[in-house]
Amino acid sequence: MDNQKRQLILAIESSADETSAAVIENGNRILSLSTATQIASHRRFGGIVPEVASRHHLEWINLVIDHALQEAKITNPKQQLSAVAATYGPGLVGSLLVGLMAGKTLALTYDLPFIGVNHLIGHLQAAIFNQEIKYPALGLLVSGGHTQMVWIKSPNQFQLIGQTLDDAAGEAFDKIGRVLNLDYPAGQKLAELSSQGTANISLPKVVTSNPYDFSFSGLKSAMINYLHTSEQNNQAIIVADCAASFQKAVVEEIIERVQLVLADQKFKNAQQFLLGGGVAANQLLREQLSDLLVKRSISFNPTPIKLTGDNAAMIGAAAQLKLNKNQFDNLDLNAEPRLNFVEISQSL
Ligand code: KG4
Ligand code: ZN
């Protein structure tokens, strides 16, 4: 990238229940970020209802885009912007299509290049708003839909090392939160409750055939069994203790996988460890990762807490990686609800 040139990207995110637009300068500076959240709408259903989500995106998309452009003082998009970017996967197809169509239409209208962004890369690239990313890097993405460990050899090379075989970490928090009568999404509330409780309920260790894969459904079943058994035996259930025990077990499950990866010679030249996704807001996880990485002398680069959830700033940051290589997409790019790290091309 020409360092002298100020490159501005208008980025759009609509893969799940946040409608978000941002203007990002040179991939690492947020000029504006406007996000409309639908959480309150979905809460009564205990999770995202896809049709409701797409309808909300339609209502909000133009408003968040206008707001983001105004706040960034973009009066002449064709002149001032270098590209328009939008998430094209993974996510809910109806939700993705709203942001993707808006992004492609604006690119066509203003005759700007269009960049389709992988939401997963966005979550990891969000660490750049904490500090510059050094390569090769290890990345841990923990969200409501994903739990993945990734080897990032260089800015555009993502290789999946391990992933969850069942629930994502955030999904497990949300499901246990529901059983404990916490509002959706329960991760943050469960974490807050945990600080008032004691992790005194023992939950099983998880074994996966690929040691770098994760699994949370066994922990979830064990927690549910504990609650049922306690109820049947008329034993008092201390919700804060349940939350603390479950949080500890999930964080341990993640930390153990990270320890194994760090011990692997293939990743010994990792310069940095990136953390992203909604669950990256979890303080216990951040603290334990930080302690572990200090011991291994690997620099820890976690996404700033405010940008761990879904947002368009991370999409702008990831789009810059493609803009740097003039990797643009055609306007027939379709939504890919099951998109993974397709950019991976090489072996380790
Ligand atoms: O990244 P995100 O906003 O959406 C997806 O792409 O999935 O992640 C949302 C997830 C939810 O499951 C939510 O419960 C969880 O992140 N979460 C947390 C915390 N804050 C949000 N989980 C644990 N501790 C938190 N502090
Ligand atoms: Zn996400």
Side-chain angles (χ1 to χ4, degrees):
M1 186 181 71
D2 175 357
N3 282 332
Q4 302 308 311
K5 199 170 165 235
R6 196 169 169 246
Q7 291 186 308
L8 305 187
I9 296 177
L10 168 66
I12 300 166
E13 154 65 32
S14 71
S15 65
D17 57 355
E18 320 285 344
T19 322
S20 185
V23 176
I24 303 301
E25 180 180 343
N26 295 343
N28 60 12
R29 192 166 161 242
I30 301 172
L31 298 191
S32 63
L33 173 58
S34 178
T35 304
T37 180
Q38 315 174 358
I39 285 177
S41 259
H42 299 287
R43 186 160 283 153
R44 63 204 143 119
F45 304 110
I48 302 180
V49 183
E51 289 78 7
V52 176
S54 340
R55 226 175 312 126
H56 278 299
H57 285 306
L58 279 172
E59 280 166 22
W60 283 102
I61 194 80
N62 290 335
L63 293 166
V64 296
I65 291 172
D66 284 351
H67 190 230
L69 289 173
Q70 267 171 34
E71 211 175 285
K73 302 193 170 44
I74 306 294
T75 46
N76 184 344
K78 188 176 162 63
Q79 291 296 318
Q80 290 170 273
L81 297 176
S82 300
V84 180
T87 306
Y88 75 105
L92 300 167
V93 68
S95 293
L96 286 167
L97 283 171
V98 177
L100 187 58
M101 283 308 294
K104 292 196 293 192
T105 307
L106 286 172
L108 185 68
T109 309
Y110 297 125
D111 194 21
L112 287 165
F114 175 72
I115 299 173
V117 173
N118 180 335
H119 181 87
L120 308 177
I121 295 176
H123 270 306
L124 290 176
Q125 194 64 20
I128 203 165
F129 297 116
N130 176 46
Q131 64 176 94
E132 191 194 334
I133 298 175
K134 300 262 166 58
Y135 300 93
L138 281 163
L140 174 63
L141 163 54
V142 273
S143 72
H146 293 84
T147 301
Q148 298 179 310
M149 197 103 67
V150 187
W151 179 234
I152 313 162
K153 234 175 158 178
S154 67
N156 275 307
Q157 284 183 297
F158 297 83
Q159 178 141 32
L160 197 56
I161 303 170
Q163 63 184 331
T164 183
L165 301 175
D166 36 62
D167 289 349
E171 187 181 2
F173 278 131
D174 292 342
K175 286 179 178 168
I176 289 302
R178 194 173 181 172
V179 183
L180 296 175
N181 288 321
L182 306 179
D183 277 346
Y184 166 85
Q188 195 185 339
K189 281 163 215 111
L190 195 136
E192 283 162 13
L193 255 182
S194 298
S195 59
Q196 299 156 30
T198 312
N200 52 10
I201 303 162
S202 77
L203 296 168
K205 284 261 160 271
V206 183
V207 181
T208 50
S209 56
N210 167 5
Y212 303 151
D213 279 342
F214 304 82
S215 167
F216 299 99
S217 71
L219 292 179
K220 196 183 63 188
S221 305
M223 191 73 232
I224 292 171
N225 281 342
Y226 168 86
L227 292 168
H228 284 166
T229 314
S230 302
E231 253 168 38
Q232 276 160 9
N233 297 339
N234 282 326
Q235 274 166 0
I237 293 167
I238 300 169
V239 177
D241 289 353
C242 295
S245 305
F246 192 68
Q247 177 183 243
K248 179 169 176 268
V250 168
V251 169
E252 263 172 20
E253 158 77 5
I254 296 171
I255 293 290
E256 274 173 25
R257 275 18 181 211
V258 174
Q259 276 173 324
L260 290 175
V261 168
L262 293 177
D264 189 327
Q265 284 301 303
K266 285 199 283 271
F267 312 116
K268 70 172 190 310
N269 61 339
Q271 302 297 303
Q272 235 180 29
F273 190 96
L274 315 181
L275 176 68
V279 182
N282 188 278
Q283 282 302 342
L284 185 69
L285 178 64
R286 287 173 96 93
E287 280 161 26
Q288 294 207 0
L289 277 174
S290 171
D291 291 350
L292 178 64
L293 292 160
V294 165
K295 284 188 209 133
R296 307 291 158 105
S297 308
I298 296 180
S299 136
F300 183 34
N301 190 0
T303 299
I305 303 235
K306 273 200 282 190
L307 297 172
T308 51
D310 292 346
N311 65 83
M314 69 186 202
I315 301 307
Q320 183 73 44
L321 298 175
K322 289 177 84 170
L323 179 58
N324 291 345
K325 299 197 150 200
N326 287 330
Q327 270 177 19
F328 302 122
D329 291 287
N330 292 327
L331 294 181
D332 61 0
L333 181 73
N334 209 347
E336 288 198 34
R338 298 189 169 277
L339 183 65
N340 209 324
F341 283 97
V342 287
E343 276 84 344
I344 305 157
S345 50
Q346 320 209 337
S347 59
L348 291 175

